[in-house]
Amino acid sequence: MTSDSSISRRALLASALPLAASAHASEGQTLTIAAFPLVDEIVRAAIPAWQKRHPEVELRILSRQYSDHHTAMTTALSTAVALPDVMALESSFVGRFAQGGGLEDLRQAPYGVERFRERLVPFAYDQAIARNGAVVAMPADIGPGTLIYRHDILAKAGVQEAELTGKWEDYVAAGARIKARTGAYLIAHVQEIKDIIIRGGLNAGEGLYFDTQSRVLVNSPRFERAFEIALLARRQGLDARVSAWSNDWAEGFKRGRLATELSGAWVVGQLNSFIAPSTSGLWRAAPLPENGAAAYGGAFYAMPRRAAPERKALAWEFMQLMTLDPRLQLQAFKDYDAFPALLSTHEDPFFDQPLPFLGGQRARQLWREAARRITALPVHKQNQFAEEVVQTELDKVLLRDKPIRAALADAEQLLQRRALR
């Protein structure tokens, strides 16, 4: 299930799924779980395991579309009205919600979440740590970043995988050969390139856009290079200029017009299931260029601090079931491509099985290794706004020929004013 902008790709897909909710309990206790599509299905699949533990406690699943869910949770936390017992959160929202103080600190008694830290993928656990040290959520699944490419298109262009995974400049040069020899675009949109590059070369205490002291980081060599590579690819006509999860994006995959994609490992399952199943066997997975390590989404479970105290023990037990039970974690991976955050599952033989969609490649081994190299990034309360500012300036560079240094200087100035609020 992601980088904040990249994370939203799976969220957009999930938001297209139908709204659903389980029936209210007719008697006995009811534990309310608020979730968004895909996560709600994983919770629903876990009901039999929960009923074995607590047949007297009904799980009530409140499912809203992705954006509606997180908006509703924001309102519920700020007003303490209609709070669920447990809320699912997409990874990009965990840091934002953590700063508000509305989520239970799971370090405190009787929870003691820190005893589970070594059992979970390090970066996923770290994502849920607030600035004051509070641990506000438990990770269930993650989205290790990967590059996928059309093996047949590369063969036709005479391009090798190593040319895609080396320097970013080599990736772009390979894209130019692919376009010239096959007509296929290298990528859907150069924004994807920018999103990966800005996540590389970070120093301790640095987030994407701000450091831990709220200093703005966008007017830097890291962002300058990201803009330069994106502009280089655009000037050579290597991106299709289509947004992820749009109809044109899906058609690009179906018709072989997109040679590569930079995304979370879960995108393979989405392509295989319904986006472009006819292309099965034609794809391969590879590391991100320059051996980059990035996360694309993930789901967490959190407990509102002002939720009903009489059900908090049950809520905590449910959260542990969903995040620490190897059988449920593996089942969610097999059924919903929810890459598990529970480390013990990573040794299961399922990770060694070939993927027919990827021509028999054992790609889960690649993604497992990538997951262990990802590091959590400090989340600033203005990250979402910063992302919009940076993307607006990139658009000005791409579409209006604005000088890159001027664009980043303007972004820095605007963000400096906002960071002081």
Side-chain angles (χ1 to χ4, degrees), residues 2-25:
T2 112
S3 77
D4 286 357
S5 61
S6 297
I7 284 168
S8 64
R9 295 193 231 174
R10 192 176 191 185
L12 288 171
L13 173 65
S15 69
L17 300 178
L19 185 66
S22 66
H24 287 260

Side-chain angles (χ1 to χ4, degrees), residues 17-35:
L17 300 178
L19 185 66
S22 66
H24 287 260
S26 57
E27 58 184 11
Q29 287 185 290
T30 302
L31 195 69
T32 302
I33 316 299

Side-chain angles (χ1 to χ4, degrees), residues 147-155 157 159 164 171 174-179 182-188 192 238-240 249 252-262 271 282-285:
L147 181 153
I148 62 171
Y149 64 89
R150 280 284 295 263
H151 176 73
D152 58 329
I153 293 177
L154 262 67
V159 171
L164 299 178
Y171 173 75
R177 289 165 57 197
I178 291 170
K179 181 73 180 300
T182 71
Y185 293 102
L186 175 64
I187 200 165
E192 298 178 28
L238 303 184
D239 71 323
W249 179 82
F253 287 121
K254 292 175 184 176
R255 300 179 182 278
R257 290 174 53 80
L258 298 175
T260 75
E261 171 73 354
L262 305 170
L271 288 170
L282 300 178
W283 293 90
R284 301 291 185 273

Side-chain angles (χ1 to χ4, degrees), residues 287-332:
L288 294 169
E290 298 188 1
N291 205 30
Y296 285 78
F300 289 71
Y301 293 98
M303 188 188 312
R305 184 170 52 82
R306 292 189 285 179
E310 66 272 15
R311 292 192 297 274
K312 285 194 172 183
L314 285 170
W316 176 232
E317 186 176 348
F318 171 81
M319 291 168 62
Q320 292 177 77
L321 177 69
M322 299 304 297
T323 59
L324 299 174
D325 186 300
R327 185 182 64 83
L328 292 182
Q329 283 264 297
L330 280 169
Q331 199 60 50

Side-chain angles (χ1 to χ4, degrees), residues 55-77:
E56 79 288 358
V57 180
E58 179 106 5
L59 288 184
R60 178 176 180 245
I61 306 170
L62 294 178
S63 179
R64 299 178 177 89
Q65 308 299 348
Y66 175 84
S67 58
D68 293 340
H69 166 78
H70 288 94
T71 298
M73 295 304 97
T74 301
T75 302
L77 288 174

Side-chain angles (χ1 to χ4, degrees), residues 182-197:
T182 71
Y185 293 102
L186 175 64
I187 200 165
H189 200 285
V190 294
Q191 176 186 336
E192 298 178 28
I193 297 174
K194 178 267 293 180
D195 287 341
I196 294 293
I197 296 178

Side-chain angles (χ1 to χ4, degrees), residues 121-254:
V121 172
F123 90 87
Y125 183 95
D126 291 348
Q127 277 185 302
I129 301 176
R131 288 186 185 178
N132 64 0
V135 181
V136 300
M138 283 277 280
D141 63 71
I142 59 176
T146 189
L147 181 153
I148 62 171
Y149 64 89
R150 280 284 295 263
H151 176 73
D152 58 329
I153 293 177
L154 262 67
K156 185 178 179 181
V159 171
Q160 303 298 315
E161 177 185 299
E163 297 177 70
L164 299 178
T165 60
K167 293 288 186 181
W168 281 102
E169 290 82 358
D170 296 334
Y171 173 75
V172 172
R177 289 165 57 197
I178 291 170
K179 181 73 180 300
R181 297 177 183 181
T182 71
Y185 293 102
L186 175 64
I187 200 165
H189 200 285
V190 294
Q191 176 186 336
E192 298 178 28
I193 297 174
K194 178 267 293 180
D195 287 341
I196 294 293
I197 296 178
I198 64 173
R199 283 161 175 78
L202 293 167
N203 299 313
E206 291 184 343
L208 283 183
Y209 308 104
F210 305 90
D211 66 12
T212 53
Q213 304 302 314
S214 289
R215 287 187 286 262
V216 180
L217 304 174
V218 301
N219 195 3
S220 64
R222 173 164 56 98
F223 278 82
E224 188 170 344
R225 182 163 188 246
F227 275 43
E228 287 173 349
I229 299 297
L231 180 59
L232 179 64
R234 171 60 61 84
R235 283 179 170 170
Q236 297 184 54
L238 303 184
D239 71 323
R241 304 193 187 192
V242 298
S243 301
W245 306 116
S246 66
N247 289 335
D248 289 339
W249 179 82
E251 284 298 313
F253 287 121
K254 292 175 184 176

